Every structure is written in C-alpha cells, then in structure tokens.
C-alpha cells in the first residue's frame, strides 16, 4: 500500500468534486431538496385542518344551535369547519360527490322534537370514501365534534334532572348533591378518556426524513459517484497512466472510496444542519449510527462500481443506477416507513441491505433501541457490504484487463 | 549500452495481429523515431513499453533488465491525449502525479519553470501546446532515463511544433534516450538520430535518415502539380497525393521531358514542377508501395 498515492488520489478527487457543478447538485442540492419537500409535507406538525361540511338543516332550535357552534369552532385561530347549508339532501349529495364538501350532515325533521322530549336525536352523516385517508381524517373530526356536543347535552340534561330530585332525598340516603351529579355522569359515560401529550425525543417526523435523506445519498450520490469517476478515468486514459505508475489497484480504489466517503459525510452533515435550521429539529447519528452509515456506504459504492465496470459506459451506469434506485426509493423504506407499506413490498425493505441499514439506523438513533439488540441486523448489512466489495474489486480487475 | 532491446514482440487483439514479431534496439542517448502510418503498431508497441500492456510473446529489456513495474520507472511516457485533469490547475496536476510516482515536490517547481507553465491555470484553460508541455512535465516528474513520446506534435501549429522539438533535443543533450512515434516524416528527419520504419505490425527498415534514403539508391524525386491526366502512361513509379504526383527517377534530366510530354498529350494542365532529393516518405513508399498519410 502506498499512503502518498492514496492521499494524492483522495485530494485530487475532492478538488474535482468541489469544482464540478453537476456533482455539487447531486451530492448537496438534490438531497436538500428532498429534506425540504419531505420535511415540509410530513415532517412537522403543520397547520390545522379545515373540513368543508355541508348541512341540511330543517330549521329547528337545536340543529341551528349545533350548526352555529360548528361554524365557530377554532383551533389555533383557524376554523375547524367551513359550513355550507343546502336546502335538501339531493343537492348536498351532489356537492359531496363533486368534492366541494368533505361530508354532508343531515338533521332529520324529528331531530329537534326528539331532543326536546328527552329522546335520542339522530344525525345522518354522508362521507365520500373514495379517498380512504381523507375519509379517516374527516370522519374522525366529525365524530369528535358530535361526541363533544353529546357530552354538553348530557351535562345540561343532568342539571335539569337534578332540579327534579326532592331535597329530603339527600338527607334520607346521606348523599350530597355533588355525589349524585357524579353518579349521573358516570351512568351516561362510564369510562372517561383523558388525553394528555408529552414532548418525546422521538416525536418529530423530520428525524425520520433526515434518515431518509441519508438513504437517498446511498441510492444516488454514493452509488453513482465512484462508478462514474472510475469510468471517467478509463475514458480519459488517465487510469492507464495510474495503472502504469507504482500505484496499485488497491491504492486507487481506497483513494476513490475515501474521497466518496468524505464527500457523502460532508453532504450528510450539511443535511443534518439544514434540517435543524429549517425545521428546528434534526438527528445527529450516534457512533453506532455512523458505523451503520459507513458500512451501508461501502455496499452502495461497491454496487455502483460493479455496475460501472460491467457496463463500462457512463450513460448505461447512470441509467441502471436510476433504474435500481428509483423503485427502491419508495420500496426500501427510505421515504415511506416500512410499517405502512403493502405486505408484498415489506420484504424488499427488510432484505435489501440499504433498507435494512436504514431500519437499524432508525431503531438505534430515533427509537433508542440498545445496540446489542441490533447486532444481528448490522451483521447482515456488514456481510452484504463485504460480499459486494469483493465483487466490485473483481469487476474492476476484469475491466482493467479489458482496457486495451 | 542499449537503452531498449526488443526481440520478436507479438501482440494480438482478437483476430487482429497488431505486432508481428518486432525487433528493435534503441541506443542510450539517441533520439530514435518510429515512423509509420496510423495502424502500423507504433502506439501498441509504446503502450507495451510504457503502460504495461500485456503482450503475447517476445522479449523486452530496459538497460539490460527485463521490463517490469520497477524497470518501467526508468521510462517517462508522453501519450497523444492530454492526461491532465481539466478541473485541476497545472500545479495540482503535477502534485497529483508526483504523489503517484513518489516524486519530490521540488521537482514540480523546476518543471514549471523549465516549461514556462502557468501554474495557477486550470488544465482546461490551456492551449494545445501548453497541454503537451504539461504532459511532458508529468512524464519528467521522476527524472526517467528514457522518454517515450507518442505523436507529440499532432495538432500543434508550426511554431509550437518547433518549440517542442527544441525541448526534445535538449532532453537528448542531457544524455537521456528518446523514443518518438510519429507519422510526420519531417519530424523524424528533423529530430531523429535513427529511424525505424513500421508498417502493418512489423519493422521494415532501421537506420539513420541518410542510410534509409540510400535505400532509394541514386534516385531523385520529380514533383509535378496541376490538373493531371494520363498518369497511367508515365512508366515510372509514382505516388499521387491530391493534385500532386511524386515520381521516382534515376536520371531526372532524361525522364522529366518524357513525363511532361505524356501528361500534356493526355490533356494535363501542369502548374509546377520540382526536382527534389528523396525524403523518408519516399523511402516508405518504396518499401511499402503506399504513402504515410
């Protein structure tokens, strides 16, 4: 091994990377675009949702009261509902089908009479279930609203009932008014759910997308850079000169790999700092996290080099790397969590080494799983990286022999 | 002492035999030219010597020792194409190659000064002439005893070419050996102490330019330029190049009126006639029956 030659190749490559505009785009700008997009869309709490609601109100006191409450509910200053009244069900359903409202609420004609006489008031809600995610969000908001309204009604009804209880009743049975009120409340709502929130360390979604950005680095920048760089040396004729010098193929590959590792490390650090700056939160990998990152980077570089050496064309290499990377971007758990992927796609995230590496990184650095529990997964990534590195070196040696 | 001794060198690319048993000896301290057309096998021979390209059979000795990674360090190589990295400056390129060859940093400054290279300019900003100089500086980084140049002046303008020749002569004057591959006969004649004529993978003649010209004997060359017709009736060996023919004759005083008469009778319009001494190209034509271009 010739340390001076390795250092020379490393410095030369880093200078070229710094001065090559396209490399700067792929290594720095493209991943930052992803962090911005993913973090902006899903990585932060975001603004409150407004639900467009259509209402068919026959004009009763209670239905009008509820409609008025609905119009005035706000969260952080934003109206939760945008209410539009419709004269009849058919026009309301038309609007729902067209998508101009998210749900249609129908107060039947007997709604007011039933509530006034102490009976159950039935409300009909129509949803368009074409978009399952939209349906889930809208239905849960409307259910929560009516649950709150129902609770308010129950409390008022209870006060009315309390007024009918004779005063001696309390002395006879040794009960306080407060105690009876509690009984009434419990009979109407036997179980009360109280929601509280804490600000946990794993809370912010941006941390998931920071690891996703690291995955994008593996799939695109790392995989492409070393392969393209070696091909450029072959095409230009400089690799023949390097091969004729006292420098060995191992010196050359080590120098190239180190420059790629330094480039992606800088790129990852920029991404981490960028997420902190823009979204107020980030994830800085632990020492074990960095070990996973570098091991996965070796796999990615080796795969890229093997593709480049077998195709021996920059265009083909770019096309194949994109062909491999694009589907994996969505199927390897990089931007979409494996837990919400369809059943058929989950094995890809599990068995593809880069998907597994990201899973280990997330479990370790987002969810705080002990390193000991993750050693099996890490070993899996490590073995694949070693196998791929051997294949890459073999394909490099083969390509050099054919370089006549 | 022989700087290079090559015996029975053969190299095949698939079905194509690029070198068909090349024998060659290059003496220490001389400028030796490999003259031949494109495809003659010059670059293959050079790549075997300088880049370690594998060969099928034969023997190569460098200063009496087998060609190997170690003995190849005695050879500096200037290829046809630029081997500088476009985005690096002249100095950075030299630093990179110095690291590869473990050459001293002081040598970089010396070479920059020797070749008047603009050290802070990026390689992509250099003219063709300066790119060649940078290639040459890279080859000289580790002070080799033999310098091999492959078509060093192709694409250069005349002043740049002459400057480059001067640099090569200076190198020889320092006692170094130069092996030069070229298809410019003028370059070989101007620079070389000895010349090997290569054609179709073989060395077909070796000697000083004067010795090679003697192969033609007492012949002279008549060059005729114009709109020429009736060439088939001339009766002397000739080579046609565009609107010009070069006819090889023993006695130009007798042959010239005879040739002109034939051409004029055939309806030619002769614009210029010259009687010249033979060149290395004429030697090549005599040996192979075709021109160098």
């Amino acid at each position: 091994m010739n340390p001076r030659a390795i250092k020379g190749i490393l410095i030369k490559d880093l200078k070229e990377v710094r001065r090559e505009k396209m490399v700067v785009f792929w290594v720095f700008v493209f991943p930052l675009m992803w962090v911005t997009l993913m973090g902006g869309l899903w990585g932060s709490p975001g603004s409150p949702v407004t639900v467009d609601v259509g209402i068919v109100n026959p004009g009763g006191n209670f239905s009008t009261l509820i409609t008025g409450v609905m119009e005035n509910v706000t969260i952080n200053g934003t109206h939760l509902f945008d209410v539009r009244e419709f004269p009849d069900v058919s026009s309301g359903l038309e609007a729902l089908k067209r998508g101009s409202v998210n749900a249609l609420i129908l107060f039947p004609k007997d709604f007011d009479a039933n509530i006034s006489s102490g009976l159950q008031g039935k409300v009909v809600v129509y949803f368009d279930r074409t978009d399952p995610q939209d349906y889930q969000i809208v239905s849960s908001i409307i259910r929560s609203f009516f649950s709150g309204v129902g609770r308010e009604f129950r409390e008022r009804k209870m006060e009315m009932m309390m007024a009918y209880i004779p005063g001696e009743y309390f002395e006879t049975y040794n009960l306080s008014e407060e105690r009876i009120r509690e009984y009434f409340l419990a009979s109407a709502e036997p179980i009360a759910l109280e929601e509280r929130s804490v600000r946990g360390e794993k809370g912010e979604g941006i941390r998931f997308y920071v690891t996703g950005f690291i995955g994008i680095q593996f799939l695109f920048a790392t995989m492409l850079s070393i392969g393209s760089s070696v091909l450029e040396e072959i095409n230009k004729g400089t690799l023949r000169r390097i091969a004729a010098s006292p420098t060995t193929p191992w010196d050359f590959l080590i120098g190239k790999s180190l420059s790629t590792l330094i480039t992606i490390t800088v790129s990852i650090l920029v991404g981490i700092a960028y997420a902190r700056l823009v979204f107020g939160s980030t994830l800085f990998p632990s020492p074990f996290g960095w070990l996973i990152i570098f091991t996965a980077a070796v796999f990615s570089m080796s795969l890229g080099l093997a593709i480049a050496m077998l195709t021996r064309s920059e265009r083909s290499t770019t096309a194949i790397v994109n062909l491999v990377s694009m589907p994996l971007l969505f199927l390897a758990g990089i931007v979409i969590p494996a837990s919400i992927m369809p059943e058929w796609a989950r094995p890809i995230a599990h068995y593809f080494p880069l998907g597994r590496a990201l899973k280990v990184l997330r479990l370790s650095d987002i969810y705080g799983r002990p390193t000991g529990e993750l050693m099996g997964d890490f070993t899996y990534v490590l073995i694949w990286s070693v196998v791929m590195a051997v294949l890459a070196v073999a394909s490099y040696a083969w390509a050099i022999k054919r370089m006549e | 002492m022989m700087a290079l001794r090559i015996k029975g060198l053969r190299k095949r690319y698939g079905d194509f035999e690029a070198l068909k048993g090349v024998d060659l000896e290059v003496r220490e301290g001389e400028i030796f030219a490999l003259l031949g057309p494109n495809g003659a096998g010059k670059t293959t021979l050079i790549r075997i010597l300088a880049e370690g390209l594998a060969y099928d059979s034969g023997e190569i000795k460098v200063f009496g020792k087998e060609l190997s990674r170690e003995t190849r360090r005695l050879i500096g190589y200037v290829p046809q194409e630029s081997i500088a990295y476009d985005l690096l400056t002249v100095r950075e390129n030299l630093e990179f190659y110095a690291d590869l060859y473990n050459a001293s940093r002081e040598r970089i400054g010396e070479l920059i000064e020797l070749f008047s290279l603009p050290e802070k300019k990026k390689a992509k900003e250099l003219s063709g002439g300066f790119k060649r100089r940078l290639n040459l500086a890279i080859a000289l980084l580790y002070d080799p005893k033999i310098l091999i140049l492959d078509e060093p002046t192709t694409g250069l303008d005349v002043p740049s070419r002459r400057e480059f020749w001067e640099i090569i002569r200076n190198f020889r004057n320092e006692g170094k050996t130069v092996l030069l591959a070229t298809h410019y006969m003028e370059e070989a004649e101007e620079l070389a102490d000895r010349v090997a004529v290569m054609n179709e993978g073989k060395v077909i003649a070796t000697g000083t330019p004067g010795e090679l010209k003697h192969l033609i004997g007492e012949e002279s060359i008549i060059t005729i330029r114009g709109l020429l017709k009736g060439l088939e009736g001339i009766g002397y060996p000739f080579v046609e190049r565009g609107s010009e023919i070069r006819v090889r004759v023993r006695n130009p005083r007798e042959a010239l009126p005879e040739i002109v008469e034939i051409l004029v009778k055939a309806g030619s319009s002769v614009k210029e006639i010259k009687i010249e001494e033979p060149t290395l190209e004429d030697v090549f034509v005599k040996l192979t029956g075709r021109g160098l271009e």
Side-chain angles (χ1 to χ4, degrees):
Chain A
M1 197 183 286
N2 179 352
R4 189 176 167 195
I6 292 173
K7 188 198 81 183
I9 292 164
L10 169 68
I11 290 172
K12 186 268 291 178
D13 275 6
L14 291 177
K15 281 178 179 165
E16 284 193 305
V17 163
R18 192 159 53 86
R19 291 166 193 174
E20 179 57 75
K21 290 183 183 68
M22 279 311 288
V23 176
V24 169
F25 174 79
W26 281 107
V27 174
F28 296 106
V29 181
F30 179 67
L32 293 186
M33 277 166 53
W34 271 94
V35 172
T36 310
L37 278 172
M38 294 298 163
L41 288 171
W42 296 299
S44 56
S47 54
V49 176
T50 296
V51 179
D52 294 319
V53 178
I55 287 186
V56 180
N57 181 9
N61 288 335
F62 286 109
S63 56
T64 305
L65 177 73
I66 292 169
T67 305
V69 171
M70 214 168 203
E71 283 172 337
N72 289 310
V73 179
T74 59
I75 295 176
N76 296 336
T78 305
H79 282 275
L80 183 59
F81 296 104
D82 186 1
V83 178
R84 282 172 62 191
E85 292 213 26
F86 290 93
D88 49 48
V89 177
S90 58
S91 59
L93 286 176
E94 274 302 310
L96 179 62
K97 285 176 187 169
R98 282 199 310 273
S100 53
V101 291
N102 300 116
L104 179 69
I105 298 172
L106 166 65
F107 293 101
K109 281 182 180 160
D110 57 1
F111 177 77
D112 256 58
N114 284 342
I115 295 282
S116 306
S117 54
L119 296 174
Q120 195 177 47
K122 188 179 169 186
V123 179
V124 181
V125 188
Y126 293 92
F127 295 104
D128 178 0
R129 298 181 72 157
T130 315
D131 182 339
Q133 278 189 324
D134 200 38
Y135 160 70
Q136 279 181 2
I137 294 167
V138 172
S139 70
S140 72
I141 289 172
I142 291 177
R143 276 171 206 278
S144 298
F145 172 76
F146 277 102
S147 166
V149 172
R151 190 177 303 116
E152 186 68 28
F153 273 34
R154 275 196 301 277
E155 282 176 15
R156 290 186 183 201
K157 204 168 172 181
M158 186 180 67
E159 290 301 325
M160 285 169 64
M161 286 165 71
M162 289 289 289
Y164 288 104
I165 298 172
E168 61 270 24
Y169 190 83
F170 298 111
E171 285 172 20
T172 309
Y173 294 100
N174 197 24
L175 285 170
S176 66
E177 199 178 323
E178 192 57 38
R179 189 74 175 153
I180 290 176
R181 194 173 270 123
E182 281 175 9
Y183 277 127
F184 276 140
L185 196 64
S187 63
E189 199 173 348
I191 296 172
L193 187 72
E194 189 180 321
E195 196 177 302
R196 293 180 185 183
S197 61
V198 292
R199 191 177 170 82
E201 281 187 11
K202 63 185 178 185
E204 296 90 347
I206 190 63
R207 293 161 68 87
F208 178 87
Y209 291 106
V210 169
T211 54
F213 145 79
I214 293 169
I216 291 169
Q217 289 294 74
F218 294 154
L219 278 185
F220 292 96
T222 318
M223 212 183 278
L224 262 182
S225 59
I226 190 165
S228 303
S229 163
V230 175
L231 280 173
E232 206 181 313
E233 302 262 13
I234 290 177
N235 294 339
K236 196 171 159 44
T238 45
L239 189 55
R240 291 211 306 259
R241 297 301 307 137
I242 295 169
S245 75
T247 310
T248 66
W250 278 104
D251 296 333
F252 176 72
L253 286 180
I254 291 170
K256 286 267 171 208
S257 305
L258 284 177
S259 71
T260 308
L261 280 179
I262 289 174
T263 306
I264 65 150
T265 302
V266 172
S267 169
I268 287 171
L269 289 173
V270 169
I272 287 168
Y274 179 79
R276 177 80 180 83
L277 193 74
V278 176
F279 298 103
S281 176
T282 194
L283 178 140
F284 193 83
S286 63
F288 181 62
W290 281 113
L291 184 65
I292 298 161
I293 289 171
F294 290 135
T295 310
V298 168
F299 174 83
S300 182
M301 282 190 292
S302 305
L303 181 58
L305 182 62
I307 292 170
M309 293 302 97
L310 295 176
T311 60
R312 296 201 299 156
S313 141
E314 276 188 82
R315 280 188 179 184
S316 304
T317 299
T318 309
I320 292 175
V321 167
N322 283 334
L323 199 69
V324 171
S325 301
M326 279 297 179
L328 287 172
L329 185 63
F330 300 100
L331 297 175
I334 288 169
V335 291
I336 301 170
S339 56
I340 63 163
M341 283 200 294
E343 203 63 39
W344 63 265
R346 287 184 195 180
I348 300 171
H350 187 69
Y351 291 112
F352 182 62
L354 293 182
R356 183 77 75 94
L358 272 191
K359 183 182 143 190
V360 180
L361 179 62
R362 282 168 178 153
L363 288 174
S364 163
D365 288 6
I366 298 180
Y367 301 106
R369 285 268 279 275
T371 305
E373 284 181 25
L374 302 170
M375 284 316 285
D377 289 308
F378 174 69
T379 308
Y380 178 86
V381 178
L382 182 66
I383 290 171
W384 266 107
S385 299
V386 171
V387 169
M388 192 48 77
V390 170
L391 286 176
V393 172
S395 63
Y396 171 77
W398 175 80
I400 295 294
K401 263 193 173 179
R402 291 190 60 189
M403 204 172 60
E404 296 187 343
Chain B
M1 188 173 190
M2 287 300 162
L4 283 170
R5 178 171 279 151
I6 299 165
K7 273 188 188 169
L9 188 65
R10 289 181 178 274
K11 168 70 184 172
R12 181 178 279 281
Y13 296 103
D15 292 336
F16 175 69
E17 195 170 17
L19 298 179
K20 301 171 181 170
V22 170
D23 296 314
L24 208 64
E25 288 187 339
V26 180
R27 294 170 196 150
E28 188 177 1
E30 72 174 347
I31 296 179
F32 189 95
L34 288 174
L35 181 67
N38 292 328
K42 306 186 301 287
T43 299
T44 299
L45 173 60
I46 280 176
R47 286 190 54 210
I48 288 172
L49 295 171
E51 293 188 337
L53 178 67
Y55 52 95
D56 301 323
S57 62
E59 189 183 275
I60 303 171
K61 296 223 166 155
V62 183
F63 290 104
K65 290 183 181 169
E66 290 290 331
L67 179 69
S68 63
R69 194 174 268 272
E70 284 69 41
T71 50
R72 208 178 298 123
R73 209 180 147 72
L74 300 170
I75 299 171
Y77 173 42
V78 184
Q80 278 185 55
E81 68 280 0
S82 167
I83 56 163
Y85 292 87
D86 285 346
L87 296 174
L88 301 190
T89 64
V90 166
R91 177 171 276 280
E92 286 167 344
N93 268 295
L94 288 166
E95 283 172 351
F96 168 65
Y97 282 103
D99 285 339
L100 291 190
Y101 285 93
N102 207 19
S104 75
R105 292 278 161 145
E106 291 75 40
R107 182 76 178 142
I108 295 170
E110 288 169 20
L111 290 166
I112 286 174
E113 202 175 319
L114 180 67
F115 295 121
S116 310
L117 286 165
E119 60 177 307
K120 287 180 183 165
K121 259 196 176 180
K122 285 183 185 160
K124 67 175 179 184
E125 295 161 355
L126 297 178
S127 66
F130 273 109
K131 277 185 180 170
R132 296 295 164 94
R133 286 182 189 208
L134 179 55
N135 259 12
L136 186 57
I138 290 168
L140 297 177
L141 268 169
Y142 49 95
D143 203 18
K145 287 186 162 185
I146 302 170
L147 184 65
I148 297 181
L149 303 109
D150 189 7
E151 307 283 0
T153 59
T154 302
L156 294 189
D157 54 30
V158 175
S160 305
R161 185 177 291 182
R162 296 207 171 269
E163 270 181 43
F164 211 83
W165 289 350
E166 202 49 46
I167 291 169
I168 294 168
R169 276 196 204 97
N170 289 339
F171 193 72
R172 188 258 317 269
N173 295 343
E174 287 172 17
K176 307 287 169 78
T177 308
V178 178
L179 176 62
L180 170 79
T182 183
H183 66 277
Y184 293 138
M185 55 91 193
E186 185 197 358
E187 188 161 88
E189 282 193 89
E190 183 80 23
L191 277 178
D193 300 311
R194 290 196 307 137
V195 177
V197 181
M198 282 192 81
N199 189 41
E200 295 178 351
K202 283 188 281 194
V203 174
I204 53 175
T206 309
T208 63
E211 285 167 351
L212 290 175
K213 285 176 194 169
H214 274 113
L215 290 174
I216 293 188
E218 298 301 312
E219 293 175 343
S220 296
I221 304 297
I222 299 173
T223 304
I224 304 171
R225 203 162 62 79
L227 186 62
L228 305 177
K229 293 176 184 170
L231 298 176
E232 62 284 353
I234 287 177
Y236 293 93
F238 70 92
V239 178
E240 185 180 3
R241 192 194 290 156
S243 61
E244 181 183 285
I245 58 166
R246 288 169 67 81
V247 190
R248 224 169 56 234
V249 296
R250 275 192 181 279
N251 187 343
R253 289 190 179 194
E254 275 180 21
L256 183 59
E258 197 182 321
I259 293 167
V260 171
E261 190 182 345
I262 293 166
L263 293 176
V264 171
K265 272 188 181 172
S268 300
S269 159
V270 176
K271 287 189 176 167
E272 190 180 349
I273 298 173
K274 279 191 286 186
I275 299 173
E276 297 172 314
E277 288 301 305
T279 63
L280 285 177
E281 183 168 19
D282 300 312
V283 176
F284 185 82
V285 171
K286 179 164 184 180
L287 293 170
T288 65
R290 65 188 179 109
L292 270 170
E293 297 293 326

